[in-house]
Amino acid sequence: MTSAAGDRDGASALGAGADDDDAVFAALLEDSAEDLYENAPCGYLSTSLDGRIAKVNATLLDWLGWRRDELVGRKHFSDLLTVGGRLYHETHFAPLLRMQGDIRGIALEMKTADGRRLPVLVSSHVKTGREGQPLLIRTTVFDARERRAYETELLRARREAEEERERLQRLNATLQTTLLPPELPQVPGVQVAAYYHIASADEVGGDFYDLFPITADTWGMFLGDVCGKGAPAAALTSLARYTLRTATAYTHDPAAVLDTLNTTLTERYHGHRPRFCTIIFGLIRPTADRGGCDITLAGGGHPPALLLRSDGAVEEMHTQGGQLIGAIPHARIVTRSFRLEAGDTLLLYTDGLTEARVTENGGRYGDRALLEFARALAPVTASGGIEAIRELLDSFGPGVEDDTALLAIHALPPPQV
């Protein structure tokens, strides 16, 4: 019996404690409207239609450091704003409020009693009478110091990011220029032209070309596209250019030159992520006495060069069967020789051109479209052909997602005696 009575007394005590908590909570819900107004987490003030302050809550007084009797009936709302804020209030805020009767979330700066600036967000509403006549203006003020600090930090971070991006773009542009010849040499009996289209200034591309003398009557040329972008692509491009130029000191066989590059790449990246490229290497042997030149091309997995004849015909100079350079040891390399007669133009390009997106659903430009474009263009000089394709690339806009390198060789007629 004693135990049961004790349990009842304990339960009663617990019930009494719960009742007390409920009573305290209920009392909190019975805060007066005046207390809710005065101690709200935002500032409130009411003004007459001309802006004279009629009522202000304790929260706003505390933020600004004014006494109530220093503001009510003595100052206008605009008097609490900085010079810039007052100008904006008079030219934009107040006129819009009169027209619309309501305006929300306007960023202003208020002036505290000691001269400090307080960033705020202001919303105002015109209170009207039963017949719609305006009576007074009620304004809500939110402290925006933390938001302003966040926005300032965000702007600073964005500015630093933009500066870093500009620095990186300048570095990429400088690096890109070191991977290309500063200018093409003069080759007897032919006109040469080249162009490099950068798809993005944010990354170094992997396309490259070059034209250089090998002997007094033989010139070497190459155009290629390495896998990837950025610093790894730049390193591979530099290695490829150096290797190709060096190899011609030991052999004038285009297939042997590409075989040397293939061996260099497979040995250098053995045991690592494979690095490879597609490439066309060629020898040019001008025949000054009768104009034109003889050309031998070696291809390693690269799109075919286009031969634009002087009579308007266009032929794809395939090196079908040639394999990627650097992908496997002893890659198969295919060669072909032909003659470039006076008025003919040979065009080499990388696949950034044919893989450009030209339709809304992502359709590529493609080999067939380029062939038709060349047929409409022929006959053409080296510089004329390069300029036409440059304009074509520009017309694709952001559809050109990969860099594009172009190299054109145009055979000139024999000199007049």
Side-chain angles (χ1 to χ4, degrees):
M1 293 294 292
T2 302
S3 176
D7 290 344
R8 285 195 298 273
D9 291 343
S12 298
L14 290 174
D19 291 342
D20 290 343
D21 291 341
D22 290 342
V24 171
F25 183 72
L28 291 174
L29 296 178
E30 293 176 0
D31 284 343
S32 66
E34 183 66 21
D35 181 65
L36 291 174
Y37 174 85
E38 288 292 341
N39 300 301
C42 58
Y44 289 123
L45 74 158
S46 299
T47 69
S48 58
L49 296 178
D50 65 357
R52 187 175 296 275
I53 298 173
K55 188 177 182 182
V56 59
N57 73 342
T59 299
L60 188 56
L61 290 172
D62 181 62
W63 288 352
L64 299 178
W66 294 98
R67 298 196 311 274
R68 196 181 305 270
D69 60 359
E70 293 176 317
L71 299 183
V72 175
R74 293 177 175 270
K75 291 186 178 292
H76 292 73
F77 172 64
S78 60
D79 295 332
L80 302 180
L81 302 177
T82 60
V83 174
R86 190 180 307 126
L87 179 63
Y88 183 84
H89 179 270
E90 294 173 356
T91 59
H92 293 79
F93 190 98
L96 282 174
L97 183 61
R98 286 194 295 270
M99 292 172 54
Q100 302 176 6
D102 188 83
I103 190 167
R104 299 178 181 274
I106 303 301
L108 295 172
E109 282 191 329
M110 303 188 77
K111 184 172 56 179
T112 65
D114 59 4
R116 291 179 294 107
R117 294 170 177 262
L118 176 68
V120 294
L121 292 177
V122 176
S123 297
S124 292
H125 174 75
V126 177
K127 176 67 176 177
T128 58
R130 292 182 178 179
E131 298 182 359
Q133 72 277 20
L135 299 177
L136 57 84
I137 300 172
R138 288 176 174 170
T139 296
T140 305
V141 180
F142 293 93
D143 185 347
R145 282 175 289 190
E146 291 188 3
R147 173 173 172 168
R148 179 68 60 84
Y150 167 76
E151 291 175 344
T152 300
E153 177 61 21
L154 184 63
L155 288 173
R156 184 195 63 79
R158 179 179 298 174
R159 184 166 54 251
E160 289 183 353
E162 290 174 351
E163 292 173 353
E164 177 62 19
R165 182 184 180 189
E166 291 175 358
R167 186 194 68 80
L168 181 60
Q169 288 180 343
R170 289 194 299 269
L171 178 62
N172 286 340
T174 301
L175 179 57
Q176 191 77 69
T177 58
T178 65
L179 301 176
L180 300 172
E183 60 182 15
L184 296 177
Q186 296 291 327
V187 181
V190 300
Q191 179 197 71
V192 295
Y195 174 67
Y196 194 96
H197 184 91
I198 298 175
S200 172
D202 294 329
E203 288 187 300
V204 179
D207 295 16
F208 59 97
Y209 64 84
D210 204 352
L211 177 67
F212 57 97
I214 297 177
T215 66
D217 58 357
T218 304
W219 297 73
M221 67 175 178
F222 55 80
L223 179 140
D225 183 3
V226 308
C227 62
K229 290 182 177 293
L236 182 56
T237 297
S238 180
L239 176 62
R241 292 184 72 243
Y242 173 79
T243 303
L244 290 169
R245 275 181 166 256
T246 303
T248 59
Y250 301 95
T251 178
H252 297 170
D253 177 5
V257 171
L258 288 191
D259 185 65
T260 299
L261 177 61
N262 187 74
T263 301
T264 300
L265 296 186
T266 54
E267 290 181 352
R268 171 66 64 89
Y269 296 101
H270 177 71
H272 300 277
R273 182 179 178 182
R275 307 293 296 178
F276 54 85
C277 64
T278 67
I279 191 167
I280 288 181
F281 180 90
L283 294 182
I284 305 173
R285 293 186 174 91
T287 51
D289 56 334
R290 57 193 177 103
C293 57
D294 296 320
I295 292 180
T296 300
L297 296 181
H302 199 81
L306 296 181
L307 178 55
L308 287 68
R309 295 289 189 185
S310 60
D311 61 2
V314 176
E315 182 181 355
E316 291 182 310
M317 307 306 290
H318 286 285
T319 51
Q320 292 177 336
Q323 296 176 313
L324 293 174
I325 302 300
I328 58 173
H330 311 296
R332 184 185 179 196
I333 298 164
V334 176
T335 63
R336 70 177 300 171
S337 298
F338 55 94
R339 179 159 178 79
L340 207 62
E341 299 289 357
D344 295 346
T345 297
L346 183 69
L347 173 67
L348 284 68
Y349 61 93
T350 55
D351 60 10
L353 170 58
T354 52
E355 292 188 356
R357 298 184 184 276
V358 295
T359 63
E360 292 184 357
N361 62 0
R364 309 282 185 175
Y365 183 63
D367 298 329
R368 183 182 296 275
L370 178 60
L371 189 59
E372 293 301 319
F373 181 85
R375 285 171 177 159
L377 194 61
V380 68
T381 63
S383 57
I386 293 296
E387 179 61 21
I389 297 179
R390 185 193 66 79
E391 293 177 357
L392 177 65
L393 286 165
D394 289 342
S395 72
F396 296 155
V400 183
E401 299 173 336
D402 195 9
D403 288 8
T404 301
L406 304 170
L407 179 62
I409 310 296
H410 175 72
L412 300 173
Q416 298 295 326
V417 180

